[in-house]
Amino acid sequence: MILGVGTDLANIDRIAGTLERFGDRFRNRVFTDVEQAKAERRKDVAGTYAKRWAAKEACSKALGTGLAMGIAWKDMSVSNLYTGQPVMHVTGWAKERLDSMTPDGHEAIIHVTLTDDHPWAQAFVVIEARAIA
């Protein structure tokens, strides 16, 4: 069963401007060390950050809270499998919210997809509850 769906569209140029203006202060407030390492290795640094920004926004929407109810930016993070597939991780209050949404006898699966076409980066998140066999 579907527990939540979220999407977000981020402007890559806006993220680039924020990175230029605030630098490490912005990076360290919003992105985990793993996310920062991934972005800084990429040719399109701002695009990589913008996709992860959009993923965090989309995840907070799928959790039904947005960012206004106590979820910290770093409570949601994106890494990649060796195949390149993005994977969403939640910790802290985001994990507590996810656990409270998940019915007994089910496990929560967070599906995330990212795309970009300059100047836009987009993310979709679907949270599924799958019955535990």
Side-chain angles (χ1 to χ4, degrees), residues 81-94:
L81 299 177
Y82 74 94
T83 59
Q85 177 183 348
V87 178
M88 177 65 71
H89 308 274
V90 293
T91 58
W93 200 88

Side-chain angles (χ1 to χ4, degrees), residues 20-83:
E20 186 176 310
R21 184 170 178 200
F22 297 104
D24 286 344
R25 190 168 130 212
F26 172 65
R27 282 182 195 88
N28 294 332
R29 179 174 164 255
V30 176
F31 301 101
T32 65
D33 292 341
V34 170
E35 291 172 311
Q36 289 181 49
K38 171 78 172 185
E40 297 299 326
R41 286 193 310 266
R42 303 296 300 268
K43 181 178 179 182
D44 183 11
V45 173
T48 303
Y49 279 122
K51 285 186 280 189
R52 278 148 178 75
W53 172 280
K56 292 167 186 271
E57 287 275 8
C59 184
S60 71
K61 293 170 185 175
L63 289 168
T65 64
L67 286 157
M69 293 181 64
I71 294 177
W73 286 105
K74 287 182 163 182
D75 284 350
M76 301 164 289
S77 65
V78 178
S79 66
N80 295 84
L81 299 177
Y82 74 94
T83 59

